[in-house]
Amino acid sequence: MGMNLAEKIIASHLVEGRMVPGEEIGIRIDQTLTQDATGTMAYLEFEALGIDRVRTKLSVSYVDHNTLQTGFENADDHRFLQSIAAKYGIIFSRPGNGICHQVHLERFAAPGTTLLGSDSHTPTAGGIGALAIGAGGLEVAVAMAGGPFYFTMPEVIRINLHGRLSPWVSAKDVILEVLRILTVKGGVGKIIEYGGEGVKTLSVPERATIANMGAELGATTSIFPSDEVTLAFLKAQGREKDWVELLPDPDARYSRIIDIDLSSLEPLVAKPHMPDNVAKVREVGPIKVDQVAIGSCTNSSYIDLMRVAAILKGKRVHPEVSLVISPGSRQVFYLLAQNGALADLIASGARILECACGPCIGMGQAPPSGGVSLRTFNRNFRGRSGTADALVYLASPETAAATALTGVLTDPRELGEPISIAFPERFPVDDGLILYPPASSEGVEIKRGPNIKPLPQAQPLPEVISAPVLLKVGDNITTDDISPAGAKYLPLRSNIPALAEHAFEGIDPTFARRAKEAGQGVIVGGQNYGQGSSREHAALCPMYLGIKAVIAKSFARIHRSNLINFGILPLTFVEEKDYDDIQPGDQLIIDLKDRLGGEVLTIRNATRGTSFKVRHNLSPRQKEIILAGGLLNYTKKKL
Ligand code: MIC
Ligand code: SF4
């Protein structure tokens, strides 16, 4: 039987399990990436594993999230990361070099390889034909130590792209259409594989835009074939040696096939506050916009920003719009400066930011109170912009640039004659901000500032959990809800005691205090609990506050693994209606005396005198992890 792309890469990296959807498998990881906001924790965890050098083919540590240095914290983190990279044989991408996913695509990602990254948008590299998966920092640390990465073998959905995009419609509109069809839960437990003759009309960065936002579908990853277009991109980066052709077999099988006619798409927008709340720009109409933000790992490639520059050339940003632009990488930024496009952007009145995540993660440029912000980013969760009551819309760079000129949401097709940007045959390659580690780590000293706090230790679960429901939340709770992002919190990513004070702050500001008073607690959630980022802080902070279990209708993949890795039990309701009968404050008794032997557990609600059933769905390996008190303890025993 023929194999699809995902199966081909998994088969060539499989170390444990069978490639049967729903079964746990372990694969060998060729490359890893981290960014600073998750990296500090990942490297503390790597250190705790006690290995002297990374065992992957290539591991890169990027600094792109916390680049605002308003205090010593982020600067200390950067210095720690640089020194620990040198110590353990990791490549270090200095602040200013760009956003991890964009730089990785340009300089390191390769078709047919596996990449594990401590960031949920790691699947961006699926645009080049890599099997790229986002995970918690600890899982990336284990992969750096040479351990396999374990996950549930997903189903593979095929999306056939037909025809070609009309003028003014771009890759962002393709993925917004997929989000409209599948929703933010539609990709859970799935890999999205793109194919069809329409793929040939998309460059690698355009494919990467589509793969990037597969994270918003909840997908394990997204992947494109590696073809002549991939080869041309790698050649332009001076990396043709990394190319291999990678196509699915003609008789490959898929669990579902979706057809999208590229020529029928028009400019789309995701309305507040979810990336799947998609509508046609022309139908939403000319709402007034206060801020336009262009950049992020989704849409800040050379082609994206050249199109923006061409739209803005000779024109002026609307007086009531603040337009901010962050180039995705130093390579892109340099090219724009070299060919004059940067001058067009500056002349138009755009505010140029550095090559980093910036406003995407709330590091500066919060919109005004109650304001409308149109962004080329991938997430518009409530509060993520830094302004609690802002309304954030997501759209393509073309729609964003058109809107910056008019001050109201504008369909770029109104701009008239289409623009065409040629893809450079050769990018200016300068890896000057990429530091390779010394051959030997002897004498390399790890520099720890006062913001680098020791790793909190997970405790093995008690025989009986008797704990109150500290919080009951609804569907689609994000990791931003659990452990907020933004300029106030990111500097605390290596300081769990301080960060934990802010857990669930936007939902219930008394949560941290109540949790500490109770000593032990349970959280009750709805569907897709923990969607969004890979930050393990969303598990570490609750663990630090004494949370022992989360009972939800369903979980997002990365967050569920993070809970297990830090010794918190993720449980799902057997009957979803039991969710309705639990109230905050109820005392729950979870008996674990049979050490999770049975698949189904009965939980007693001592406050109401009732009982209900939950499932743990843990693989034998995950059971051992939880019972050992988390992945770190478990791995140390195995190494
Ligand atoms: C995000 O987009 O939310 C982040 C910041 O990149 C996160 C990682 C983090 O929280 O550090 C992600 O998506 O994994
Ligand atoms: Fe950075 Fe935003 Fe991409 Fe996350 S989604 S990696 S914060 S640019």
Side-chain angles (χ1 to χ4, degrees):
M1 195 183 70
M3 284 199 270
N4 56 46
L5 280 180
E7 285 168 339
K8 284 189 179 181
I9 304 183
I10 293 172
S12 62
H13 290 78
L14 194 67
V15 288
E16 231 176 288
R18 297 182 306 151
M19 295 200 312
V20 176
E23 290 197 13
E24 190 176 70
I25 54 169
I27 58 168
R28 187 166 35 78
I29 296 298
D30 299 319
Q31 301 188 348
T32 63
L33 72 78
T34 57
Q35 38 87 345
D36 48 326
T38 55
T40 46
M41 207 39 79
Y43 294 113
L44 287 171
E45 290 156 348
F46 182 78
E47 251 190 322
L49 292 173
I51 307 273
D52 20 326
R53 223 168 156 83
V54 287
R55 295 179 180 163
T56 37
K57 289 192 186 140
L58 181 128
S59 287
V60 192
S61 168
Y62 293 92
V63 177
D64 53 1
H65 279 61
N66 307 345
T67 54
L68 270 188
Q69 290 164 225
T70 54
F72 67 92
E73 292 89 346
N74 290 342
D76 276 11
D77 284 0
H78 302 171
R79 194 175 55 180
F80 167 72
L81 289 168
Q82 182 164 345
S83 62
I84 208 158
K87 180 92 187 166
Y88 290 116
I90 297 154
I91 298 168
F92 184 67
S93 169
R94 300 187 63 194
N97 199 40
I99 305 174
C100 54
H101 309 301
Q102 174 69 27
V103 178
H104 207 79
L105 191 74
E106 291 168 359
R107 306 303 309 137
F108 300 110
T113 62
T114 53
L115 166 69
L116 193 71
S118 64
D119 190 282
S120 63
H121 291 102
T122 304
T124 311
I128 213 165
L131 188 85
I133 303 181
L138 181 48
E139 290 184 274
V140 176
V142 170
M144 287 190 285
F149 170 65
Y150 292 92
F151 63 116
T152 309
M153 176 69 197
E155 287 176 14
V156 185
I157 297 187
R158 162 94 170 205
I159 299 191
N160 277 322
L161 302 177
H162 304 283
R164 82 168 39 239
L165 291 166
S166 313
W168 300 112
V169 183
S170 66
K172 182 62 152 283
D173 301 305
V174 178
I175 187 62
L176 288 176
E177 172 68 3
V178 178
L179 271 152
R180 188 188 67 75
I181 300 170
L182 288 176
T183 81
V184 292
K185 325 194 274 284
V188 177
K190 307 198 167 64
I191 291 178
I192 317 285
E193 185 169 312
Y194 290 86
E197 81 284 356
V199 163
K200 292 199 190 67
T201 68
L202 300 171
S203 66
V204 166
E206 290 170 306
R207 297 174 184 184
T209 294
I210 297 172
N212 172 280
M213 273 189 90
E216 278 56 58
L217 298 164
T220 303
T221 190
S222 301
I223 189 164
F224 278 80
S226 168
D227 55 13
E228 318 80 70
V229 177
T230 320
L231 175 60
F233 177 79
L234 283 167
K235 266 196 187 143
Q237 291 288 349
R239 296 207 287 131
E240 53 269 49
K241 62 168 188 358
D242 289 340
W243 186 73
V244 287
E245 187 177 51
L246 194 68
L247 304 170
D249 290 329
D251 56 344
R253 287 212 273 183
Y254 299 90
S255 68
R256 179 176 171 191
I257 295 181
I258 297 173
D259 288 281
I260 294 182
D261 177 5
L262 294 176
S263 64
S264 71
L265 295 182
E266 54 177 288
L268 299 173
V269 65
K271 298 185 289 179
H273 296 282
M274 277 295 149
D276 62 356
N277 193 8
V278 173
K280 293 180 174 154
V281 170
R282 109 185 117 83
E283 283 168 7
V284 176
I287 46 167
K288 187 176 173 324
V289 171
D290 304 286
Q291 181 193 53
V292 172
I294 297 175
S296 91
C297 56
T298 316
N299 273 128
S300 57
S301 68
Y302 173 75
I303 289 285
D304 287 332
L305 298 193
M306 283 304 289
R307 286 182 183 149
V308 170
I311 293 170
L312 298 180
K313 190 180 168 91
K315 306 208 175 82
R316 188 54 52 92
V317 171
H318 189 276
E320 284 173 31
V321 172
S322 167
L323 169 64
V324 293
I325 300 179
S326 4
S329 69
R330 177 168 168 268
Q331 184 184 82
V332 169
F333 204 5
Y334 180 83
L335 254 176
L336 296 178
Q338 203 187 34
N339 70 15
L342 181 60
D344 296 332
L345 295 175
I346 295 171
S348 75
R351 302 164 64 182
I352 312 295
L353 309 178
E354 67 175 315
C355 308
C357 301
C360 179
I361 192 61
M363 293 303 272
Q365 313 306 331
S369 295
V372 172
S373 177
L374 180 71
R375 303 177 155 212
T376 65
F377 307 169
N378 46 34
R379 292 189 169 143
N380 58 347
F381 303 145
R382 198 189 293 274
R384 181 177 162 98
S385 64
T387 304
D389 59 0
L391 299 170
V392 178
Y393 291 74
L394 307 174
S396 69
E398 291 83 344
T399 301
T403 300
L405 292 175
T406 59
V408 292
L409 180 64
T410 300
D411 187 323
R413 291 175 298 180
E414 289 172 22
L415 294 170
E417 273 303 292
I419 43 175
S420 134
I421 308 290
F423 205 78
E425 259 178 43
R426 196 86 196 179
F427 285 98
V429 172
D430 167 10
D431 290 338
L433 290 192
I434 294 179
L435 305 183
Y436 282 82
S440 149
S441 56
E442 218 163 295
V444 179
E445 185 206 334
I446 300 175
K447 299 185 181 135
R448 271 172 241 269
N451 197 42
I452 310 284
K453 292 276 184 291
L455 258 187
Q457 296 297 315
Q459 298 302 326
L461 284 172
E463 288 214 328
V464 178
I465 301 173
S466 169
V469 174
L470 287 174
L471 193 68
K472 180 177 174 184
V473 292
D475 292 347
N476 294 325
I477 285 297
T478 71
T479 46
D480 283 339
D481 294 321
I482 307 172
S483 181
K488 197 168 139 204
Y489 311 101
L490 284 198
L492 304 177
R493 283 290 181 86
S494 43
N495 184 346
I496 297 300
L499 188 64
E501 294 296 322
H502 305 284
F504 289 106
E505 195 169 75
I507 296 180
D508 177 356
T510 69
F511 176 79
R513 180 179 52 75
R514 290 189 299 108
K516 279 195 271 180
E517 276 164 18
Q520 277 196 23
V522 173
I523 292 170
V524 173
Q527 299 281 6
N528 199 21
Y529 179 87
Q531 70 159 327
S533 94
S534 67
R535 68 189 71 140
E536 49 197 352
H537 306 78
L540 268 164
C541 292
M543 174 201 96
Y544 181 81
L545 294 170
I547 298 301
K548 299 289 173 210
V550 180
I551 311 171
K553 292 182 185 171
S554 66
F555 288 91
R557 174 187 63 89
I558 305 179
H559 185 62
R560 180 172 179 276
S561 303
N562 285 337
L563 289 173
I564 296 169
N565 293 344
F566 292 101
I568 299 179
L569 251 185
L571 301 169
T572 49
F573 290 100
V574 171
E575 299 284 348
E576 284 188 4
K577 64 172 183 13
D578 289 332
Y579 168 91
D580 302 327
D581 300 332
I582 308 182
Q583 296 309 325
D586 284 2
Q587 188 74 15
L588 303 185
I589 318 284
I590 312 175
D591 190 334
L592 301 173
K593 277 199 220 73
D594 78 340
R595 308 321 277 157
L596 299 165
E599 171 72 5
V600 172
L601 276 76
T602 302
I603 298 185
R604 211 155 59 75
N605 185 331
T607 308
R608 278 160 221 286
T610 52
S611 296
F612 60 95
K613 290 195 166 28
V614 294
R615 240 185 223 111
H616 60 66
N617 284 325
L618 296 167
S619 69
R621 193 187 61 91
Q622 289 172 326
K623 261 189 232 174
E624 278 186 51
I625 292 176
I626 286 247
L627 294 175
L631 182 60
L632 202 53
N633 296 342
Y634 170 87
T635 311
K636 271 203 263 179
K637 271 197 256 158
K638 295 243 155 180
L639 283 174

